[in-house]
Every structure is written in C-alpha cells, then in structure tokens.
Amino acid sequence: MSTPDIRAVCASALAPVLDGKGSLNALDSALESAGVEGRDRGLAKALCFGVCRTLPRLEALSKILLRQSFKRRDQDVQALLLLGLYQLLYMRVPPHAAVGETAGAARALGKGWATRVLNGCLRRFQRDTQALQAQVDRDPSIALLHPEWMLTRWREAWPDDWRELAEANNQPGPMTLRVNRRHVDRETYLARLRDAGLAADPTPYAPDGVTLHEACDVRALPGFSEGAVSVQDEAAQLTAPLLEPTLATTPGARVLDACSAPGGKTAHLLEAFDLELTALDSDAERLGRVDATLARLGLEATTLTADASRLEWWDGQTFDAVLLDAPCSGTGVIRRHPDIKRLRRPSDIRELAALQARLLDTLWTTLAPGGTLLYATCSVMPEENVDQVAAFLTRTPDASADELDVDWGRPAGAGRQLLPRIEGHDGFFYARLRKVTV
C-alpha cells in the first residue's frame, strides 16, 4: 500500500471547510479513509487545525500572492496554498519541504497545473515575508485571527476582555481530564500520572479535574481503557457540582440530559450520583458516541434519538433535574474547533437563540415542581446566555434563578459566564433555574 500524501489529504479535508460546507468533525474519518496513521496522523491534525486557527491571516496573504483567485472547484488547491503558508509561518518544517512538498501535492490531487502557481506564491512569500505580514496585520481582525463581526460583538459585550478572549482562542486548549470518582480519587490518580511520567495539576474549580502539562495519546493515560479517566475541559466539568444540591439529596433521582452527545456530562453525572438518567440527542450517529462512552465507563442510561424541542418522546413522568446543554454558537470553544471562525455567521446567533428559547420552554414542561433545570452553553455571546435566561424568566411565572455561590467566572444576569483562558478552561455559561409553586 502506497504512503498517502499528507498535504494532499489535508487539502481535501480542508476544502469543504473553506467552502463553508464541512467541518473538522469529519477529519478523523477522512484520515482513516486515506490510510493516514501514527505520527503522520498527528502532523495532519496539526496542519488542518492550524490552518483553521490562523485562517484570516493566511487568506489575506493568499489574496496578495495570487494574481487571481482559484475557481471554486479548486478549493483544494487554495487549501494547499494556505497549508504552505501555515508551515512557513508557524511550524518547524524546513522551508524547502514546506514549499516543495506542498506544491508537489497538487499532483496527488490530479491538478499538476497548480504546482507552478503554488511554488511561485510560496517562494515570493519567503522573499517578502516581513513586508507582507506587516501589510495584512494593519487590519486588527486579521492580526487577531478572527472575523470582524465576531470581534465587534465581543468589544460590545466584553469591552475589557475582548482582546484577551481572542488571544485565548488562538492557542490550543490544554488537555484536561475528568477522574472517575467511582474508580479512584483525584490525588491518587495524580500520583499514577506522575509514576507514568506525565506531569499534571489539579484544576482550580472542577473537583474531579486534572490538567496535563503536555497533551498525550489517551492510550498513554493510566486506566483509560478501564474507565478511570475521561478527557473533558474544566468548564464542562462544572455541570455536576452545580447539580449537586439537587442530586446528592435525591437518591435515584430522575434526570434528563436533553442534548447529550457526545456524552461527557452524561457520564460525569452518573459517576457522581445515584441516578435514573435519560439521554436524548436528535442525531443518532452522535448518540452512538454517548453509548460508546457509557460502555467504556461501565455506566448505564436510557438513550433516545429524539428532538428535545418537541415532546413526542416523553412519557409524561416528570424529572427531578434537567440538563440543557443547548446547541449554541460554540464561540467559547473556538480554540478546540477553530473552523468555527469560517463556518459561523452573524445570522446564526439569532437562529440559535430562537432554538434555545424553544428548548427551554418545552423542557420546562418535563420538570417536576421544585426541580432544577441547568442551562448551559459553550458560548460567550450574551444573546445566547444572559439575555436568553432573562427572557425566559420574564415569560415563565413559575421559574426562578438560583444565585450561584461559586468562585469561578463572573456574574452574568441570573447566571455565571466563563471566558476562555490560555492554559485554563474554555468559555462557558451556566444558569440554574428552579420550578416554583406560583
């Protein structure tokens, strides 16, 4: 079997992203289909995620370097140019390899005519790199590697933090683990990591969290296959502590995880409490990931493929707690999903806010009197967070919000907002809502 051309594979995977019709969620499947394995798989991921992370700058440079844009059917060739620029700017790839192998990859795509164009553009960038970078970086949105509309929203919402927010998005997030307290306590697991030569620290806010100094393959983690630990950002791990006042005092509580895939929060709740849990997701394929997660961890839940904004799936029995980790813009986790910079549009925020409102109104029906609904997003947009919860409380007479007495994030209306932090947690919003007797 011939060795796949890594850059050609990456270009093919990036082309749908550049065209706004695909995402990096399909990258693992693309690499597997192409037969990319081992260290080459790590290189391919670094290239694809790196291009998406720095896309505004790379595209601005490519516009200067090209005499005319590539045709839409040649997005893979455009991707090769961006890959070459990324290697020259941000990687330790020898320049001759970044230029020669990237240009040559056009032949593997069946587009040998592009080799000469790519070679010329990349060599010109090598010659004039300082001047070209200075030219494009005059635009603040390019210098900060984000779409202008996104930065404008953040300047309005977070006038003292928007620049730091953008800079945090431009750094890969740390690898954070959640220790399964049914298997081992956090201190004991930290010692197991040290014995395995893996340096790590406890997370400051999540009681089950551990952050590695350097990311590693999960197969190197002690006890991973046996379910002792899972990969989950610290911000996402705050779900269980926020539901603890309800669940720790109600053995066998009926809990609904309404938008459960890929299952990290589902599993954490089952690790931490004695529950009867139902996990919904509208995507059967993604729900399969929930089943796989639970199987690895030796946990059980009822999983249902269903639209949580409708009640056809519900048997009428109310829940003591509902987790609504709502579909959102993902603007708090751009560092883990950098293709959001290309795929998200301003109009999406309004459409997502409307969906979130429908989910809140529908799921409130399933909550028992005195029960708790935890609303969460991985967004930093007020329309999806503080404004969303305020509007819900206004139109829902039997809803009240708990004051969250926590030492993380910042007050945001009836909830708490976390902004992404370099070497720290992702961006997240939480609000804890109670159903009261009117």
Side-chain angles (χ1 to χ4, degrees), residues 336-405:
R336 302 190 190 278
H337 303 278
D339 48 351
I340 287 172
K341 295 180 182 182
R342 165 49 58 87
L343 301 176
R344 192 61 68 214
R345 298 287 183 269
S347 60
D348 293 342
I349 309 303
R350 181 173 60 255
E351 294 170 5
L352 286 163
L355 172 59
Q356 293 152 7
R358 291 198 303 275
L359 286 164
L360 278 166
D361 291 342
T362 301
L363 294 170
W364 194 250
T365 307
T366 72
L367 187 65
T372 300
L373 187 151
L374 185 64
Y375 178 77
T377 75
C378 53
S379 169
V380 297
M381 296 293 194
E383 301 97 313
E384 301 181 274
N385 298 335
V386 57
D387 296 347
Q388 183 68 259
V389 171
F392 175 74
L393 291 170
T394 297
R395 68 177 180 268
T396 313
D398 60 346
S400 69
D402 286 349
E403 182 177 350
L404 300 182
D405 184 18

Side-chain angles (χ1 to χ4, degrees), residues 262-263 267 285-299 303:
E285 184 175 348
R286 281 173 52 80
L287 191 66
R289 295 178 62 188
V290 179
D291 289 323
T293 295
L294 297 180
R296 180 179 67 83
L297 296 171
L299 301 169
T303 57

Side-chain angles (χ1 to χ4, degrees), residues 201-235:
D201 297 309
T203 51
Y205 307 122
D208 299 319
V210 169
T211 298
L212 298 176
H213 291 190
E214 293 186 11
C216 70
D217 190 307
V218 293
R219 291 171 295 185
L221 297 172
F224 179 83
S225 60
E226 294 80 21
V229 68
S230 300
V231 179
Q232 187 180 41
D233 183 75
E234 182 183 19

Side-chain angles (χ1 to χ4, degrees), residues 140-378:
S141 66
I142 291 173
L144 285 171
L145 304 176
H146 282 74
E148 185 175 0
W149 73 266
M150 205 174 278
L151 293 177
T152 298
R153 294 280 189 96
W154 293 345
R155 276 194 295 266
E156 295 169 355
W158 312 107
D160 298 326
D161 303 282
W162 67 275
R163 186 177 292 273
E164 184 180 356
L165 194 167
E167 290 170 349
N169 281 345
N170 293 334
Q171 300 295 322
M175 186 172 180
T176 300
L177 312 177
R178 184 189 75 246
V179 177
N180 184 349
R181 63 178 73 172
R182 290 181 182 265
H183 283 237
V184 63
D185 63 77
R186 181 164 70 171
E187 288 305 314
T188 300
Y189 193 76
L190 281 166
R192 291 180 66 182
L193 287 172
R194 286 193 295 271
D195 291 343
L198 298 171
D201 297 309
T203 51
Y205 307 122
D208 299 319
V210 169
T211 298
L212 298 176
H213 291 190
E214 293 186 11
C216 70
D217 190 307
V218 293
R219 291 171 295 185
L221 297 172
F224 179 83
S225 60
E226 294 80 21
V229 68
S230 300
V231 179
Q232 187 180 41
D233 183 75
E234 182 183 19
Q237 292 186 42
L238 298 172
T239 296
L242 287 172
L243 284 172
E244 185 171 8
T246 297
L247 302 182
T249 58
T250 314
R254 280 177 50 81
V255 176
L256 172 65
D257 186 352
C259 303
S260 60
K265 298 180 186 68
T266 308
H268 194 192
L269 292 175
L270 290 166
E271 290 169 0
F273 308 108
D274 174 20
L275 306 175
E276 180 186 337
L277 191 144
T278 299
L280 298 185
D281 204 88
S282 60
D283 186 322
E285 184 175 348
R286 281 173 52 80
L287 191 66
R289 295 178 62 188
V290 179
D291 289 323
T293 295
L294 297 180
R296 180 179 67 83
L297 296 171
L299 301 169
E300 293 185 0
T302 299
T303 57
L304 293 174
T305 302
D307 179 354
S309 69
R310 303 167 65 89
L311 290 178
E312 285 87 347
W313 59 271
W314 187 42
D315 63 6
Q317 284 189 273
T318 56
F319 294 94
D320 299 297
V322 173
L323 169 60
L324 173 53
D325 183 13
C328 70
S329 62
T331 45
V333 292
I334 288 175
R335 62 188 185 172
R336 302 190 190 278
H337 303 278
D339 48 351
I340 287 172
K341 295 180 182 182
R342 165 49 58 87
L343 301 176
R344 192 61 68 214
R345 298 287 183 269
S347 60
D348 293 342
I349 309 303
R350 181 173 60 255
E351 294 170 5
L352 286 163
L355 172 59
Q356 293 152 7
R358 291 198 303 275
L359 286 164
L360 278 166
D361 291 342
T362 301
L363 294 170
W364 194 250
T365 307
T366 72
L367 187 65
T372 300
L373 187 151
L374 185 64
Y375 178 77
T377 75
C378 53

